[in-house]
């Protein structure tokens, strides 16, 4: 039985000042009428009923999840008392989902990605589910075919050996590699055996727990103690024991130690919306190539990004700048410096 686990605990610091710790990017309208997490849920509901869609997030974002996804059952919101990176988060969720749906397959998916061809994506996801049901110890990830030497993504190196299912290739993963420099990214593109890593994994809940027990023994011990707690004591025990768990990514905690990992190459217009450049790429523009969101007026301006979160913004005679406003801050700069926002934030008192 296929379930989805949407990871929604990130802080979205690269989108400050629009994204804040109180309301990070997955809860914002960055590229359309819906927020990023609403887009993710609506996309999945074409394949998976809402009863089998789960969201794992921090305690502080529980109310935002309920507000933005009102049809999501309360039991389907899994709260972390504190962020411990992806490996404990996924294992905690696997314990929870496994109690509700025996023999569940879990598609672990980010909450803040754009997918333009949703039908193609869902066919890939369905194929991954079929493959895992036939190979219960397998992990399947989805890799995107690169069309440029991107330095902002990790990559998946895959083998020439392959099988086919539903018209899709299923390749063996050789290794996951970190974000490369530009020259290395160009080599990956020319090589042809590298895909962008979108951080999507499809695997059996039982397999998640087995691999956690095998490779992260202390984490598994603490999580199993939390999972076996009575309903009345659960939140108290979770709060106490989860803080003792080592924070580690699923890549380092499990993926680097496992051999049965496969990748399905996809080509469905994916982007992780990890930068303002991505927002500009996917946003509607006016005739002068301006991206304007919110209460914005511009006169004789071109190639700007102007985002209002409530206050009216008026600009005149300016090109190649960005203006981002929220309740506390108005940020103005040259557009070619926009990717430095995260570093600049740390310098502002």
């Amino acid at each position: 039985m296929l379930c989805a686990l949407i990871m929604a605990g990130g802080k979205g610091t690269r989108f400050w000042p629009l994204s804040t710790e109180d309301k990070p990017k997955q809860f914002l309208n960055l590229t359309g009428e819906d927020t990023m997490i609403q887009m993710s849920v609506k996309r999945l509901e074409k394949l998976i009923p809402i009863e089998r869609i789960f969201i794992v997030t921090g305690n502080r974002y529980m109310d935002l999840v309920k507000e933005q996804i009102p049809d999501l059952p309360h039991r389907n919101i899994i709260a972390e008392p504190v962020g411990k990176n992806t490996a404990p988060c996924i294992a905690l969720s696997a314990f929870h989902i496994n109690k509700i749906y025996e023999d569940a397959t879990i598609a672990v998916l980010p909450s803040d990605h754009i997918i333009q061809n949703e039908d193609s994506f869902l066919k890939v996801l369905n194929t991954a589910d079929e493959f895992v049901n036939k190979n219960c110890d397998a992990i399947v990830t989805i890799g995107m075919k690169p069309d440029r030497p991107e330095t902002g993504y990790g990559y998946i190196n895959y083998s020439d050996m392959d099988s086919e299912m539903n018209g899709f290739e299923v390749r063996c993963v050789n290794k996951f590699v970190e974000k490369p420099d530009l020259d290395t990214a160009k080599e990956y593109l020319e090589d042809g055996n590298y895909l962008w890593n979108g951080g999507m994994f499809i695997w059996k809940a039982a397999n998640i727990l087995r691999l956690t027990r095998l490779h992260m023994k202390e984490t598994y011990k603490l999580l199993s103690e939390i999972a076996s707690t009575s309903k009345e004591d659960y939140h108290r025990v979770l709060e106490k024991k989860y803080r003792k768990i080592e924070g580690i990514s699923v890549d380092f905690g499990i993926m680097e130690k496992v051999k049965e990992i496969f990748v399905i190459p996809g080509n469905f217009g994916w982007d992780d919306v990890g930068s303002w450049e991505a927002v500009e790429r996917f946003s509607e523009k006016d005739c002068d190539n301006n991206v304007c969101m919110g209460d914005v007026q511009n006169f004789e301006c071109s190639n700007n990004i102007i985002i209002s979160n409530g206050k009216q913004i008026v600009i005149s005679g300016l090109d190649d700048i960005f203006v981002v406003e929220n309740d506390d801050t108005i940020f103005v700069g040259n557009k070619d410096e926009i990717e430095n926002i995260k570093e600049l934030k740390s310098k502002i008192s």
Side-chain angles (χ1 to χ4, degrees), residues 63-133:
D63 289 341
L64 277 172
V65 171
K66 292 175 185 177
E67 175 189 325
Q68 295 197 3
I69 317 293
D71 293 337
L72 188 74
H74 179 75
R75 68 171 191 182
N76 290 30
I77 306 174
I78 303 165
E80 285 186 290
V82 61
K84 287 291 183 177
N85 215 318
T86 52
C89 174
I90 291 170
L92 172 72
S93 302
F95 270 111
H96 181 85
I97 294 169
N98 202 44
K99 284 183 178 180
I100 300 171
Y101 295 109
E102 292 183 11
D103 196 35
T105 299
I106 302 178
V108 178
L109 305 164
S111 60
D112 50 10
H113 289 185
I114 281 178
I115 291 173
Q116 293 178 296
N117 188 337
E118 295 186 350
D119 289 343
S120 178
F121 167 71
L122 295 175
K123 287 176 182 176
V124 172
L125 193 58
N126 190 57
T127 299
D129 177 40
E130 287 187 32
F131 186 87
V132 168
N133 280 322

Side-chain angles (χ1 to χ4, degrees), residues 119-120 123-124 127 162-170 264-266:
D119 289 343
S120 178
K123 287 176 182 176
V124 172
T127 299
D162 69 293
S163 59
E164 188 176 291
M165 180 176 282
N166 298 337
F168 293 101
E169 298 174 349
V170 182
I264 300 176

Side-chain angles (χ1 to χ4, degrees), residues 320-336:
D320 301 308
I321 69 163
F322 69 90
V323 182
V324 182
E325 174 269 333
N326 74 2
D327 292 337
D328 303 313
T329 307
I330 299 174
F331 202 105
V332 183
N334 294 321
K335 201 167 72 173
D336 58 6

